[in-house]
Amino acid sequence: MAYTNQDVESKAREMLGYSPLAESGRVLRSVCDSAAAELESRLRAGVKSSDIEELFVSAAGVLAISLYLELEYIPDEKIDSFTAGDLSVKLREGTKAQSAATLRKRAESMLSAYLDCGGFEFTGVAG
């Protein structure tokens, strides 16, 4: 069974530890859709998200939280920390951008074996 964007949203809400309502909830839904689409577009040829569904949904959830943080929709007083597998992030005043960047790297590393170039490539190597 292939994942749905609702699966990614549920995973992100689970990792957040609370469920944003109203406008914040719509923003989270949108960034979940964007995160899944971004990762789908970066999968290596021959790799299907359905082949690595659980890992893909988790990575997309982490990336969605990163995007959500970048939009600054998580109030500081709501979250002191959250854990997703081996990943643990504690948000403090002024560190949202740094936390978002760390989460993006973690999401990419979770799928590094399945992404095109895994964030690394040689360019202009002299021979």
Side-chain angles (χ1 to χ4, degrees):
M1 182 176 113
Y3 80 94
T4 65
N5 287 334
Q6 180 64 39
D7 295 331
V8 175
E9 183 180 349
S10 294
K11 181 60 79 173
R13 289 176 188 270
E14 176 186 318
M15 288 187 274
L16 279 171
Y18 79 102
S19 192
L21 303 174
E23 183 64 26
S24 292
R26 285 189 289 280
V27 170
L28 180 62
R29 187 170 304 112
S30 293
V31 297
C32 286
D33 294 348
S34 297
E38 178 183 331
L39 292 177
E40 282 274 358
S41 73
R42 295 178 56 199
L43 289 174
R44 287 185 182 168
V47 175
K48 298 177 187 170
S49 58
S50 59
D51 295 339
I52 54 169
E53 185 172 336
E54 187 174 331
L55 178 61
F56 183 87
V57 167
S58 294
V62 171
L63 182 56
I65 293 170
S66 168
L67 296 170
Y68 193 67
L69 277 171
E70 288 173 355
L71 295 173
E72 298 187 29
Y73 272 91
I74 298 178
D76 289 324
E77 70 275 5
K78 287 283 187 179
I79 297 177
D80 294 322
S81 66
F82 72 87
T83 302
D86 293 334
L87 173 68
S88 180
V89 176
K90 185 170 187 168
L91 303 179
R92 294 187 182 154
E93 185 107 20
T95 62
K96 286 183 181 179
Q98 183 180 18
S99 295
T102 299
L103 287 170
R104 174 173 281 282
K105 287 179 186 174
R106 177 57 71 183
E108 290 171 347
S109 72
M110 290 170 74
L111 291 179
S112 63
Y114 305 101
L115 295 178
D116 257 343
C117 80
F120 178 82
E121 62 185 76
F122 289 103
T123 57
V125 177

